[in-house]
Amino acid sequence: MNPETTPSAAAAPQAGEPRMPASGLRRKDLVGIAELTVEEIALILDTAAAMKEISSRPIKKVPALRGKTVVNLFFEASTRTRTSFEIAEKRLSADTLNIAASTSSVVKGETLADTVHNIEAMSPDLLVVRHSSSGACHFLSRICRAGVINAGDGMHEHPTQALLDAFTIRERKGRIAGLKVAICGDLLHSRVLRSNVQLLTRMGADVWLCGPPTLMPVGFERTGAHVTSSIDEAVEGADAVMMLRIQLERMLGGYFPTLREYFNVFGMTPARVRRARPDVLVMHPGPMNRGVEIDSELADGPSSVILDQVANGVAVRMAVLYLLSGGADHEAVA
């Protein structure tokens, strides 16, 4: 099977309706990329394409998740992920509740398990969770009846970010298989990296990883990705270049001399990006540190798809919410 071909489970759409799958993902949680099959990844990306059309309508709302309750439980700061999940939920007509750690009983010493069990007592259907501890979402998926969506757990994974990155690449390039994708920056602390490497390599991309040796995770060669400390080598002939933020808040020691020196050696500049293909996509999951990992001229230039990633995040998260809720098993998108 072509890795980018969706299983033929989609029901024929009626006039004016986007093409949607006849059933959802046969699982209650999305906590990591490894659990997804290639066919399920393709199903999510194809469903996101239909969901994106909804966001272009004058009235950006469909009744697909009417009567469903989604709780967004964020124990870490977030702008793009939290906002796009909330918008996605509202566009699908779900009832949403946002809980931040600073306004929850966690500040009084309540455990994560107790917090979630109390929320579950109110019968939500899905929990969208971001937490600073790696593996927190896997733990919750084992003790919760409600579905759990990982919105980022520590330095472990960020599956919906990888899905929206893949969607953006496929939307612009028409495919993922055979493309060279360079991921550069703070690899050690990046959950975005871990999810993207799993997804992109499984979908047939030629993935290159680049960063300082002090910020290079051990053993990533076993994932099928190429590892180098030469940014020129990583960018050479690349179809997409994804820059990752230096996560100073997770660094307990000195990983490089200064931010200026880091930019001089590993920052993405117009001169460096010219080594890539002329139609290269410049990507960043955000938030950006301009002048540290990426030059503003590139971030705002014609090759940049950074804002496309943000827009596509809504469509991809709509798709994930819809499919985990059973897709058209519940209610058609009209």
Side-chain angles (χ1 to χ4, degrees), residues 20 24-25 27-28 30 44 47 51 64-65 68-72 81 84-96 125-128 147-149 160 163 313-328 330:
M20 302 305 298
L25 296 172
R27 61 181 71 250
K28 78 175 184 71
L30 175 58
I44 293 170
T47 305
M51 291 298 182
L65 296 191
K68 298 289 184 179
T69 301
V70 184
V71 176
N72 300 311
T81 303
S84 64
F85 262 115
E86 185 175 356
I87 290 174
E89 292 150 10
K90 290 181 182 298
R91 289 187 179 168
L92 293 171
S93 299
D95 297 316
T96 66
D125 297 286
L126 289 168
L127 302 175
V128 179
V148 175
I149 300 175
T160 59
L163 287 162
V314 175
V316 166
R317 286 163 181 141
M318 287 174 71
V320 169
L321 291 161
Y322 175 79
L323 292 169
L324 286 179
S325 297
H330 290 288

Side-chain angles (χ1 to χ4, degrees), residues 73-118:
L73 188 58
F74 277 63
F75 292 90
E76 278 190 320
S78 173
T79 300
R80 281 153 295 277
T81 303
R82 180 170 177 168
T83 303
S84 64
F85 262 115
E86 185 175 356
I87 290 174
E89 292 150 10
K90 290 181 182 298
R91 289 187 179 168
L92 293 171
S93 299
D95 297 316
T96 66
L97 177 65
N98 297 301
I99 302 176
S102 60
T103 61
S104 74
S105 291
V106 170
V107 299
K108 301 177 182 179
E110 187 174 62
T111 67
L112 174 62
D114 283 338
T115 296
V116 172
H117 281 318
N118 277 276

Side-chain angles (χ1 to χ4, degrees), residues 178-199:
L179 298 181
K180 179 178 179 180
V181 181
I183 305 176
C184 310
D186 182 355
L187 307 177
L188 182 63
H189 301 102
S190 178
R191 55 195 173 206
V192 173
L193 166 74
R194 286 163 175 80
S195 289
N196 261 303
V197 167
Q198 291 185 70
L199 193 155

Side-chain angles (χ1 to χ4, degrees), residues 291-315:
V292 178
E293 66 261 6
I294 189 168
D295 189 285
S296 287
E297 184 178 340
L298 283 181
D300 302 326
S303 296
S304 174
V305 293
I306 295 171
L307 294 182
D308 296 278
Q309 290 173 267
V310 176
N312 290 337
V314 175

Side-chain angles (χ1 to χ4, degrees), residues 184-188 210-217 228-230 246 255-256 262 265-266:
C184 310
D186 182 355
L187 307 177
L188 182 63
C210 177
T214 53
L215 291 174
M216 186 72 69
T228 179
S229 58
S230 168
I246 294 295
Y255 289 84
F256 48 84
Y262 177 87
V265 178
F266 293 100

